[in-house]
Amino acid sequence: MSVILRPGKSSATEASSFSFGDMTRVELIWLEQQTEFWIRFGNGAGEQVLDRSRRVVFFMPGSVFAFVRWAANDYGTVVSRIDIVRAVAPGCACQTLPFVRPGGEILLKIEGWPKVEEVLRHIDAIEGLGIYPTEVDPDHWRHVAHWMKAGEAPRPYSAERHAAWLRRREIAK
């Protein structure tokens, strides 16, 4: 088993101050047309290859990532889900999520392939603005989840809203 460190947005000093045990671990599985778990976006701090079809990706506390799970059997799709999660620091309270250890702060949880596709299109639209989805206001992901669960279309994310979020985040530091 090898561990590969990939540089993300965090500095080398910040990454070196955490061990893999202090990070959120996400197990990814890829069995073509059977079980497909993948990261749609996120800045992983490293990964561990378990075998040809499984690997573990590590995320620093505070990192935001989208985790997509799809599984099927002989009769069709049995699981279609996307979760947008913020990794938590060691010892912090968190929500549990299958294949995510120890868990995280769930910002969005959507099930059912048509709704998952809608979230993926929403992410594409944000990227189309030149904004990386990990930098989006966490409240926006909650907004998307609530409106979609109510059967309504969420408001699109805009460059103006993003600028306001960045200013708010800077003031809070």
Side-chain angles (χ1 to χ4, degrees):
M1 288 186 229
S2 62
V3 175
I4 302 163
L5 275 179
R6 288 186 181 162
K9 286 200 171 201
S10 30
S11 69
T13 308
E14 182 185 6
S16 67
S17 66
F18 284 91
S19 71
F20 283 115
D22 293 335
M23 295 184 197
T24 298
R25 300 169 305 284
V26 181
E27 186 175 343
L28 304 179
I29 302 169
W30 191 272
L31 300 170
E32 191 75 32
Q33 298 299 312
Q34 183 181 347
T35 304
E36 300 174 4
F37 296 179
W38 72 93
I39 300 296
R40 170 55 180 85
F41 67 78
N43 296 317
E47 73 178 8
Q48 180 179 26
V49 177
L50 302 175
D51 58 37
R52 286 182 48 191
S53 60
R54 295 180 311 132
R55 63 190 173 104
V56 177
V57 179
F58 298 88
F59 291 93
M60 298 285 293
S63 298
V64 175
F65 60 92
F67 180 36
V68 181
R69 290 184 283 153
W70 177 88
N73 63 19
D74 292 340
Y75 302 102
T77 300
V78 291
V79 173
S80 290
R81 181 171 171 161
I82 185 168
D83 297 283
I84 297 180
V85 180
R86 183 170 23 200
V88 295
C92 288
C94 63
Q95 298 160 295
T96 59
L97 187 62
F99 305 97
V100 178
R101 303 289 179 267
E105 178 186 358
I106 300 172
L107 304 175
L108 175 143
K109 176 175 77 172
I110 295 293
E111 297 182 34
W113 190 247
K115 289 185 177 185
V116 169
E117 281 185 313
E118 194 174 331
V119 172
L120 293 172
R121 282 192 298 274
H122 194 82
I123 293 167
D124 291 342
I126 289 170
E127 290 175 328
L129 296 171
I131 300 168
Y132 196 58
T134 60
E135 298 297 316
V136 167
D137 181 354
D139 288 337
H140 180 71
W141 296 124
R142 292 180 187 103
H143 159 80
V144 172
H146 294 311
W147 280 85
M148 287 185 71
K149 285 181 182 172
E152 298 291 330
R155 287 187 309 270
Y157 199 67
S158 66
E160 294 80 18
R161 181 167 184 179
H162 186 64
W165 157 242
L166 294 177
R167 285 192 299 273
R168 250 185 21 243
R169 185 173 68 178
E170 188 61 35
I171 291 169
K173 285 184 180 179

